[in-house]
C-alpha cells in the first residue's frame, strides 16, 4: 500500500493536496487501518488536519502527533516537497538551496527544516533491519568470551546484526553494529531492539543468551552445530566480523566458529 514516488511527475500526482498528504501519512503510520489508541475500537470519524475521533470512547488522535510535522503552521505539501527535494539532491543540500527550491520567504525557516529533516533521517531505530536477520557478538581481535554476562578485560564487545539480502540468502543486505558493555540478556535486548524490527526472524547461535527474544516479538530460530564444526550458525554475522578481526593481525583463515564464537 505504501509506495514511494518514482519521479517528480509521480510525486506531483501523488500529493496534489493537503488531504492526499494526510492520507499518505495515516497509511504509513497505521498500515492496517486506524484503531483507537485508547480503546482499540476501529470505528472513527475523520476530521480536518488528520484528526481521528473514536466513535466508541471519543478519544481524538492526530496523525501528525509525534511526527516532525506536529506543530507546523506550514502546509504539509510544502513539507513533502522539502523532503522530496532533500532526498533527491545527489550532491548534498544547503539551506539556501532548499529556500530557493521551495520559494520560502525565510532563510531561517529553510535552515530549521533542513535540520529537522536531517535529524529525522538518522533517528536511531527508525530504519531497523527486518526479514531474516542474523545476530551475534564478538570481541574486536577475536578473543574468546569468558562467559555470558561478562565483558572481559576491559574489551568492548561488538554486537552484530546482519540482514539477509532480499534476493539471495547467502548475501548480506544491511548491517548494524554497536558496541555493548557485556552480553547480559538486557544488554543484548537493548541492542537488538535498536537494530532489528520486532517480528523479524532472528537467527542466533545455540547459546542461551538470546532465549529472551520471543518475549520481545521476534521469531527466534537458534541454529545449533557441533563444537568446532565447519558449518556456521550465523555465517552472515561472522562475515561482518571478519574484516574487523583481519585488522587485528589474526589469521582470519584459521578462525573457526565454536558455540557461535569466533576462535583462532
Ligand atoms: Zn476509543
Amino acid at each position: 500500500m505504501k509506495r514511494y514516488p518514482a519521479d517528480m511527475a509521480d510525486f506531483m500526482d501523488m500529493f496534489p493536496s493537503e488531504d492526499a498528504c494526510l492520507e499518505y501519512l495515516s497509511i504509513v503510520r497505521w498500515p492496517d487501518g486506524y484503531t483507537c489508541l485508547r480503546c482499540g475500537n476501529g470505528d472513527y470519524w475523520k476530521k480536518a488536519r488528520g484528526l481521528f475521533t473514536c466513535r466508541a470512547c471519543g478519544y481524538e488522535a492526530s496523525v501528525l502527533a509525534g511526527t516532525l510535522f506536529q506543530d507546523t503552521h506550514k502546509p504539509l505539501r510544502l513539507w513533502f516537497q522539502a523532503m522530496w527535494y532533500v532526498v533527491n539532491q545527489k550532491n548534498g543540500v544547503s539551506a539556501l538551496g532548499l529556500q530557493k527550491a521551495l520559494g520560502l520567504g525565510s532563510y531561517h525557516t529553510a535552515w530549521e527544516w533542513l535540520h529537522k529533516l536531517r535529524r529525522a533521517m538518522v533517528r536511531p531505530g527508525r530504519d531497523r533491519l527486518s526479514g531474516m536477520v542474523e545476530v551475534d557478538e564478538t570481541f574486536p581481535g577475536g578473543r574468546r568470551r569468558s562467559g555470558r554476562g561478562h565483558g572481559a578485560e576491559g574489551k568492548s564487545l561488538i554486537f552484530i546484526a546482519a540482514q539477509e539480502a532480499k534476493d539471495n540468502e547467502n548475501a548480506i543486505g544491511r548491517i548494524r553494529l554497536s558496541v555493548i558493555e557485556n552480553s547480559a540478556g538486557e544488554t543484548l535486548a537493548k541492542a537488538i531492539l535498536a537494530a532489528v524490527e520486532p517480528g523479524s526472524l532472528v537467527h542466533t547461535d545455540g547459546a542461551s543468551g538470546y532465549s529472551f527474544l520471543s518475549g520481545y516479538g521476534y521469531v527466534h530460530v537458534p541454529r545449533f552445530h557441533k563444537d568446532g564444526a565447519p558449518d556456521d550458525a550465523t555465517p552472515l554475522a561472522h562475515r561482518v566480523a571478519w574484516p574487523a578481526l583481519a585488522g587485528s593481525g589474526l589469521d582470519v583463515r584459521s578462525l573457526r566458529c565454536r558455540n557461535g564464537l569466533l576462535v583462532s
Side-chain angles (χ1 to χ4, degrees):
M1 190 63 183
K2 179 177 76 170
R3 70 180 189 94
Y4 295 97
D7 51 35
M8 187 66 186
D10 195 21
F11 175 87
M12 302 297 270
D13 282 350
M14 281 178 73
F15 306 113
S17 63
E18 287 296 284
D19 279 346
C21 297
L22 286 166
E23 182 65 23
Y24 187 81
L25 280 184
S26 70
I27 290 168
V28 170
R29 276 198 98 163
W30 302 305
D32 301 322
Y34 175 74
T35 54
C36 176
L37 301 177
R38 185 160 73 190
C39 77
N41 176 48
D43 231 9
Y44 53 83
W45 288 288
K46 263 187 187 180
K47 293 194 194 161
R49 260 333 248 171
L51 287 176
F52 289 67
T53 306
C54 176
R55 281 177 190 266
C57 76
Y59 182 78
E60 199 164 72
S62 165
V63 72
L64 301 178
T67 72
L68 61 160
F69 320 111
Q70 181 173 323
D71 299 315
T72 189
H73 300 296
K74 299 274 194 203
L76 268 185
R77 271 192 89 201
L78 202 57
W79 273 102
F80 276 42
Q81 286 163 8
M83 294 189 295
W84 180 255
Y85 177 78
V86 166
V87 298
N88 281 289
Q89 301 308 305
K90 296 281 179 287
N91 299 312
V93 180
S94 69
L96 191 62
L98 183 65
Q99 185 192 1
K100 282 183 176 165
L102 297 188
L104 290 170
S106 146
Y107 174 83
H108 183 69
T109 302
W111 188 89
E112 274 190 344
W113 282 31
L114 191 52
H115 280 259
K116 270 192 163 185
L117 292 172
R118 282 191 180 136
R119 273 202 303 277
M121 286 193 285
V122 297
R123 199 168 70 209
R126 187 159 186 271
D127 187 22
R128 291 180 288 189
L129 305 185
S130 59
M132 205 294 284
V133 180
E134 290 183 3
V135 161
D136 201 11
E137 328 96 68
T138 189
F139 284 109
R143 289 194 62 139
R144 281 193 78 170
R145 290 175 296 197
S146 47
R148 292 266 171 196
H150 302 283
E153 296 107 48
K155 276 204 158 189
S156 298
L157 264 173
I158 308 291
F159 170 85
I160 304 165
Q163 179 183 319
E164 191 178 89
K166 297 261 181 279
D167 48 354
N168 180 355
E169 64 179 28
N170 295 314
I172 298 170
R174 300 176 298 157
I175 62 168
R176 293 287 180 274
L177 301 177
S178 57
V179 175
I180 52 176
E181 291 300 313
N182 54 51
S183 56
E186 59 192 75
T187 310
L188 294 175
K190 233 164 101 181
I192 199 165
L193 279 168
V196 184
E197 206 71 58
S200 306
L201 193 155
V202 177
H203 285 299
T204 64
D205 61 43
S208 58
Y210 287 95
S211 51
F212 61 85
L213 276 175
S214 50
Y216 285 85
Y218 296 99
V219 182
H220 182 209
V221 182
R223 289 183 183 138
F224 295 90
H225 55 87
K226 286 188 185 126
D227 196 8
D231 60 313
D232 193 334
T234 52
L236 299 182
H238 290 169
R239 215 181 304 159
V240 174
W242 285 2
L245 294 170
S248 72
L250 280 170
D251 182 356
V252 174
R253 287 163 304 180
S254 72
L255 292 172
R256 289 176 306 148
C257 179
R258 185 179 299 158
N259 293 330
L261 305 182
L262 288 170
V263 295
S264 56

